[in-house]
Amino acid sequence: MNERLPIAELELLRQFEQRDPGGWYAEGFELYGPAEYGRTSGIDTWSKDPQFLHAFLAFATANHSGSIYALWRLDGHTDDGTDLATLPVVVFGDEGGVHVVARSLRELFQLLTCDARMWATDECAYFYADEIDEVDEDHEPSRRHPEYVDWLKREFGLDPVADPDGVIDAAQDELGERFDAWMRRYVDDY
């Protein structure tokens, strides 16, 4: 069986992963395989409405404790021919928050170069790179991280992000209010 992920960028990342299965390249990030792609488990705790669930395409874990990365089909629109890789990336946090963190998959790929776990609280989403050694004294950089950085440059011409918070802030500035308004249509206490 030669299943592929339906988005070229994700499939390229999956092929990169498969060259060394189990070799971490970004702390807490784990891409879903074709059978898991688009699952609603975890997202459905916010709303069971079919339109709500259809608006998200889950594709990876964001940390080791249950946060989920998903593409957001802007305002729930799906059939307009949009390249799915250009959709915003949302994190559903295991701490309760849901936030836009990147304006596209490639922007998320750049964020992963900080090699830190994503956290999403009710107030905000952030990578805790600065605090990682305080939280986990045994933390070591991901083994394949340098290889991932090289892959990102080779495949997409992208460099590591210098300011992950700035990238998240830019995504929030552009899409945060629109996303929050859309969420309130489905989640009463959002």
Side-chain angles (χ1 to χ4, degrees):
M1 185 180 296
N2 188 16
E3 293 184 82
R4 299 173 60 87
L5 290 168
I7 300 172
E9 285 84 345
L10 290 178
E11 180 58 26
L12 285 169
L13 184 58
R14 185 175 80 100
Q15 291 170 12
F16 168 79
E17 278 189 359
Q18 289 179 331
R19 287 196 292 263
D20 185 1
W24 297 101
Y25 53 90
E27 178 68 29
F29 181 86
E30 190 171 357
L31 189 64
Y32 293 162
E36 297 173 295
Y37 170 82
R39 73 183 196 181
T40 59
S41 177
I43 295 172
D44 61 1
T45 61
W46 289 88
S47 173
K48 305 271 189 226
D49 187 296
Q51 288 181 322
F52 176 85
L53 296 173
H54 188 69
F56 297 103
L57 293 169
F59 63 90
T61 60
N63 59 33
H64 298 298
S65 58
S67 295
I68 300 166
Y69 284 123
L71 296 170
W72 175 45
R73 293 174 168 134
L74 296 168
D75 303 322
H77 299 151
T78 58
D79 300 322
D80 62 0
T82 299
D83 177 0
L84 297 177
T86 66
L87 293 176
V89 178
V90 172
V91 64
F92 285 83
D94 59 302
E95 296 292 324
V98 182
H99 305 279
V100 176
V101 293
R103 293 171 288 193
S104 68
L105 269 178
R106 291 183 186 195
E107 197 167 79
L108 176 70
F109 288 178
Q110 280 187 287
L111 284 172
L112 295 177
T113 64
C114 72
D115 196 20
R117 290 183 194 153
M118 165 61 70
W119 291 110
T121 66
D122 288 337
E123 295 79 34
C124 66
Y126 64 97
F127 288 95
Y128 73 97
D130 295 336
E131 300 125 19
I132 199 162
D133 291 327
E134 294 172 23
V135 174
D136 184 357
E137 293 176 3
D138 298 325
H139 177 265
E140 294 184 22
S142 299
R143 181 173 55 85
R144 292 188 67 203
H145 187 258
E147 186 183 349
Y148 173 74
V149 171
D150 291 343
W151 173 85
L152 188 64
K153 182 69 169 180
R154 185 177 59 254
E155 289 295 331
F156 303 111
L158 298 173
D159 292 315
V161 66
D163 179 16
D165 291 334
V167 173
I168 294 170
D169 290 346
Q172 280 293 313
D173 289 347
E174 184 176 323
L175 296 161
E177 287 182 23
R178 180 176 175 185
F179 180 73
D180 292 346
W182 184 85
M183 284 287 289
R184 283 190 289 276
R185 293 186 348 206
Y186 297 98
V187 181
D188 292 334
D189 59 348
Y190 185 79

